Amino acid sequence: MKSQETMLCCLMLFLATECSHHYRSKVRIKDGDKHQHPEGKLKTGTIQEKCRGPCLTASNCSQPCAQHFRGEIGFTCHQNKWQKSTETCTSLSVETFFKDFNSALRLSVAAASVPLYVLDFRAPEPLESVAQGIRRNCPVDYACIIDVVKSSEATSGNIAFIVELLRNISMDLSDNVTPEKMKSYSEVANHILDTAAISNWAFIPDKNTSSDFLQSMNLFARQLHIHEDSENIADELFIQTKGFHINNDTSEKKFNFSTSMNNMTEGIIGMIEIPRQELWKLPPNASQAISIAFPTLGAILREVHLPNVSLPRPVNGLVLSVILPERLKQVLLTFEKINKSQNARAQCVGWHSRKRRWDENVCETTLEIMNKVKCQCNYTGMVMSFSILMSPKSVDSKVLDYITCIGLSVSIFSLILCLIIEAAVWSRVVVTEISYMRHVCIVNIAVSLLIANVWFIINSNFHKKAQDSKWCVALTFFSHLFYLSLFFWMFFKALLIIYGILVVFRRMMKSRMMAIGFAIGYGCPLVIAGTTVAITVPEKGYMRPDACWLNWDNTKALLAFAIPALVIVAVNLVVVLVVAVNTQRPSIGSSKAQDLAIIMRISKNVAILTPLLGLTWGFGIATLIEGTSLIFHIIFALLNAFQGFFILLFGTIMDHKIRDALRMRMSSLKGRSRAVENASLSPTNGSKLMNR
């Protein structure tokens, strides 16, 4: 009997040794492969076949996950194709974290003197949560969960499970957070921040998962107690954590980070600085500052949708979290741009954990040079993470600001002068129906552009306050209306030129021409602008998020301006060619000098008609293309801002009939002034002149 018990105990000890050896070997495999899956790369889950049924617009279907996974994959029909929309496939559970650990533990406690019937081979006591299992198995450093997490595939379901795991740990196990616990916590987080896992975050049904992850990281780090004066707590590929002690006698403190998006790219630099004047607010006893750097989290964080905000807003730097004493309210941050394009303007922002979105009001951009951006941000309990957003379509340049300001001033003055000149010479130049309508066009072009410029000035100075109000809708509507009126009056001017050149028979009555002119010049823009408001305002996609102007990213409302403008520019190009062909045909036997004169006259026609008919707006096409060089914006700003001056120069001053009428008007005024002067000197002669 005694020998039998000895044999059984030896067998149990052998099994325990094998299980412990198997468990330790798994640990060694994972430690030797810090950032990769044991098979060589991070898995992202196996996707089952798509739905086989008919694909109807907006219809949905689901398929079961691959073998050994729980959950399902959802598909949505889009453009007659089934596309993956959600995924809940997970291989993780509370039991999977501690199954092998409990088996090895129960076998290893057996001693040779313990009878067989004493050992309990029943299933272990069920765990209600992973936190309970951690308390039971690895309360010192949480190391018992690392291998299971690293060996799991980064499916959407597993990512959601791990985020919930981290959230539970930050809430239930944050009473005494040591650097060892923070290191294990960071290793678990690093697994789901891998670049290979980024795309799977988009299929998690709960869209707040990424925000919950960041909040859990900050909450857990807030409870961390560091030991040494300065230490690197975690140094993973996709997450770095640092901390040091501070007090009111500490000089300026800086966190310096350099982390890459993957193993192949160079490090992206980020720095957090605590100003000296902020450290003065601290008490004499020591406090601590902790910071976390995330190179890939910017591509994962999903904002809550807001009206007039185009999502997603691309993050162009590290996401830097900082945990400071409550008395400190301000930090200075330096970011290196990920996208180093010259047109990628940066905006400093902070992540508001309650609103679940980037808040630009908590930060101010203090310096932007080359590839680096410096920010000054307000630190609060709700805003502890910061980064920079990229606006590749907007170009911020003082040169453009100066050109626009000076150009608009000159343009408005020129348009007012143009209207004054037209009023002064009106009776002398409107002789025929064609000349009458020609000057009606010039007057309405000047009026439309003048009102549009005034609305532009109001818009540029008022849009930040009125961005979310009805005033912004009104500003956008009237700017849209009068810029369109400018184009349609230019279009009617082109039609009038064609009419004057090609129509040689019965002329149209003046009243009918006026009716057609106002229907085209103001009626068509009113219909287009009104339709745009009616369609896009209910969808909250009428205006841009950063200005009172037509939206592009969400509803493409800007097409209601771009398409008519570009079509009119194309038509006016044809008009220029028709005018050149029909009015400048060379006669047979003309000499080279005559040919040169003809070319000069053609060039003169093109030079006069091109600015007047809005051809310069064609340069605006280039500014709509992402990544366009600054020079295209400058050219368009010059031509657009000075268009009022072009109308005065080419439409009024360079018209010899207007100049002749203006001279006659000036001579008449001089004659009257002389007559008045003579009358004052010689009453008799003056009375005769007046009688005459």
Side-chain angles (χ1 to χ4, degrees), residues 206-273:
D206 185 0
K207 303 308 178 184
N208 294 328
T209 301
S210 58
S211 178
D212 291 340
F213 167 77
L214 179 57
Q215 189 171 1
S216 300
M217 291 294 306
N218 292 339
L219 180 62
F220 194 74
R222 184 192 287 271
Q223 304 302 322
L224 173 62
H225 299 284
I226 58 178
H227 304 316
E228 301 176 3
D229 181 49
S230 178
E231 58 180 299
N232 294 323
I233 301 166
D235 188 16
E236 300 296 320
L237 184 59
F238 303 107
I239 181 172
Q240 293 181 6
T241 306
K242 297 182 180 182
F244 47 64
H245 291 284
I246 54 176
N247 55 48
N248 58 1
D249 291 329
T250 308
S251 59
E252 291 183 353
K253 280 291 186 178
K254 297 180 181 180
F255 292 100
N256 292 293
F257 295 98
S258 179
T259 180
S260 60
M261 304 297 292
N262 51 59
N263 285 319
M264 304 301 294
T265 59
E266 297 181 358
I268 301 297
I269 297 172
M271 184 178 71
I272 301 175
E273 180 181 350

Side-chain angles (χ1 to χ4, degrees), residues 123-394:
E125 181 182 350
L127 298 172
E128 296 180 0
S129 67
V130 176
Q132 183 182 351
I134 292 174
R135 286 195 189 97
R136 184 182 302 175
N137 298 304
C138 53
V140 177
D141 57 3
Y142 307 164
C144 57
I145 65 172
I146 295 176
D147 285 337
V148 178
V149 169
K150 286 186 174 181
S151 62
S152 65
E153 298 183 19
T155 62
S156 301
N158 279 345
I159 291 173
F161 186 94
I162 293 170
V163 171
E164 185 65 19
L165 164 67
L166 294 172
R167 192 175 73 87
N168 289 336
I169 292 175
S170 67
M171 295 177 64
D172 299 335
L173 298 175
S174 60
D175 50 347
N176 183 26
V177 180
T178 62
E180 292 75 22
K181 293 178 181 179
M182 189 69 202
K183 187 177 187 305
S184 299
Y185 196 87
S186 299
E187 285 190 59
V188 173
N190 182 76
H191 180 71
I192 57 176
L193 292 174
D194 195 297
T195 51
I198 290 177
S199 59
N200 288 339
W201 283 81
F203 302 115
I204 300 175
D206 185 0
K207 303 308 178 184
N208 294 328
T209 301
S210 58
S211 178
D212 291 340
F213 167 77
L214 179 57
Q215 189 171 1
S216 300
M217 291 294 306
N218 292 339
L219 180 62
F220 194 74
R222 184 192 287 271
Q223 304 302 322
L224 173 62
H225 299 284
I226 58 178
H227 304 316
E228 301 176 3
D229 181 49
S230 178
E231 58 180 299
N232 294 323
I233 301 166
D235 188 16
E236 300 296 320
L237 184 59
F238 303 107
I239 181 172
Q240 293 181 6
T241 306
K242 297 182 180 182
F244 47 64
H245 291 284
I246 54 176
N247 55 48
N248 58 1
D249 291 329
T250 308
S251 59
E252 291 183 353
K253 280 291 186 178
K254 297 180 181 180
F255 292 100
N256 292 293
F257 295 98
S258 179
T259 180
S260 60
M261 304 297 292
N262 51 59
N263 285 319
M264 304 301 294
T265 59
E266 297 181 358
I268 301 297
I269 297 172
M271 184 178 71
I272 301 175
E273 180 181 350
I274 306 174
R276 183 71 184 92
Q277 59 269 25
E278 287 292 308
L279 294 171
W280 286 341
K281 301 177 182 178
L282 293 174
N285 55 314
S287 302
Q288 63 181 22
I290 300 164
S291 183
I292 313 173
F294 306 92
T296 58
L297 185 58
I300 293 171
L301 277 173
R302 299 192 64 172
E303 298 184 75
V304 173
H305 178 72
L306 288 175
N308 302 321
V309 175
S310 176
L311 299 178
R313 296 188 286 180
V315 175
N316 199 24
L318 299 177
V319 175
L320 297 178
S321 289
V322 58
I323 292 87
L324 301 174
E326 292 183 357
R327 295 190 181 187
L328 304 188
K329 301 298 182 183
Q330 196 173 84
V331 290
L332 304 177
L333 304 105
T334 302
F335 296 95
E336 180 183 359
K337 295 180 181 179
I338 297 173
N339 182 346
K340 296 176 173 57
S341 170
Q342 293 182 355
N343 295 330
R345 183 176 61 89
Q347 183 178 26
C348 299
V349 290
W351 181 263
H352 199 292
S353 58
R354 182 177 296 171
K355 296 178 180 178
R356 299 181 185 272
R357 63 179 177 86
W358 292 111
D359 189 350
E360 59 273 11
N361 296 322
V362 300
C363 290
E364 180 183 358
T365 303
T366 58
L367 183 64
E368 182 175 0
I369 52 173
M370 299 296 290
N371 300 326
K372 292 184 180 180
V373 181
K374 290 190 175 183
C375 309
Q376 179 176 309
C377 298
N378 296 324
Y379 170 83
T380 66
M382 291 291 103
V383 182
M384 296 187 291
S385 303
F386 307 92
S387 190
I388 53 173
L389 300 181
M390 179 177 63
S391 301
K393 294 181 181 179
S394 61

Side-chain angles (χ1 to χ4, degrees), residues 332-636:
L332 304 177
L333 304 105
T334 302
F335 296 95
E336 180 183 359
K337 295 180 181 179
I338 297 173
N339 182 346
K340 296 176 173 57
S341 170
Q342 293 182 355
N343 295 330
R345 183 176 61 89
Q347 183 178 26
C348 299
V349 290
W351 181 263
H352 199 292
S353 58
R354 182 177 296 171
K355 296 178 180 178
R356 299 181 185 272
R357 63 179 177 86
W358 292 111
D359 189 350
E360 59 273 11
N361 296 322
V362 300
C363 290
E364 180 183 358
T365 303
T366 58
L367 183 64
E368 182 175 0
I369 52 173
M370 299 296 290
N371 300 326
K372 292 184 180 180
V373 181
K374 290 190 175 183
C375 309
Q376 179 176 309
C377 298
N378 296 324
Y379 170 83
T380 66
M382 291 291 103
V383 182
M384 296 187 291
S385 303
F386 307 92
S387 190
I388 53 173
L389 300 181
M390 179 177 63
S391 301
K393 294 181 181 179
S394 61
V395 178
D396 189 13
S397 172
K398 291 185 178 180
V399 175
L400 286 179
D401 293 339
Y402 290 140
I403 291 173
T404 303
C405 182
I406 297 172
L408 282 176
S409 301
V410 174
S411 182
I412 291 174
F413 175 77
S414 301
L415 291 170
I416 294 174
L417 184 59
C418 176
L419 294 175
I420 293 173
I421 293 174
E422 286 289 336
V425 302
W426 184 266
S427 60
R428 297 179 182 274
V429 294
V430 289
V431 180
T432 64
E433 290 84 356
I434 296 295
S435 63
Y436 179 85
M437 290 308 302
R438 176 180 180 276
H439 287 277
V440 168
C441 287
I442 292 176
V443 168
N444 282 279
I445 286 172
V447 169
S448 297
L449 184 57
L450 179 61
I451 297 175
N453 285 342
V454 171
W455 280 112
F456 180 85
I457 293 173
I458 297 173
N459 190 343
S460 61
N461 290 281
F462 196 66
H463 76 273
K464 290 183 179 179
K465 297 180 181 179
Q467 186 172 345
D468 298 323
S469 68
K470 295 180 180 179
W471 282 105
C472 192
V473 175
L475 286 170
T476 305
F477 173 79
F478 285 110
S479 297
H480 185 200
L481 173 65
F482 285 104
Y483 274 120
L484 279 179
S485 296
L486 165 68
F487 277 96
F488 275 93
W489 275 109
M490 291 178 176
F491 174 63
F492 183 71
K493 172 70 174 176
L495 295 180
L496 192 64
I497 293 172
I498 293 291
Y499 173 79
I501 293 174
L502 300 182
V503 178
V504 294
F505 47 88
R506 180 173 173 267
R507 295 288 181 178
M508 191 181 299
M509 293 178 61
K510 185 188 296 184
S511 58
R512 183 177 295 179
M513 294 177 70
M514 285 282 289
I516 295 174
F518 277 85
I520 293 176
Y522 294 115
C524 293
L526 185 61
V527 170
I528 295 173
T531 304
T532 306
V533 170
I535 294 175
T536 58
V537 165
E539 300 178 10
K540 297 182 178 179
Y542 182 54
M543 300 167 296
R544 288 176 53 182
D546 57 343
C548 295
W549 183 235
L550 299 172
N551 187 287
W552 170 255
D553 296 310
N554 296 338
T555 59
K556 300 294 185 291
L558 185 60
L559 291 176
F561 173 75
I563 291 177
L566 295 179
V567 169
I568 290 172
V569 168
V571 170
N572 290 346
L573 271 173
V574 175
V575 171
V576 171
L577 294 176
V578 170
V579 171
V581 170
N582 284 273
T583 63
Q584 304 294 340
R585 289 178 179 173
S587 59
I588 299 174
S590 61
S591 63
K592 291 183 179 180
Q594 290 175 331
D595 292 339
L596 181 60
I598 293 170
I599 293 172
M600 291 298 294
R601 288 197 298 272
I602 295 175
S603 300
K604 183 179 179 181
N605 279 333
V606 172
I608 292 174
L609 290 174
T610 298
L612 189 59
L613 300 179
L615 191 60
T616 52
W617 281 75
F619 283 95
I621 300 173
T623 64
L624 298 176
I625 302 172
E626 185 175 333
T628 304
S629 173
L630 179 62
I631 188 64
F632 287 94
H633 292 266
I634 293 176
I635 293 174
F636 177 65

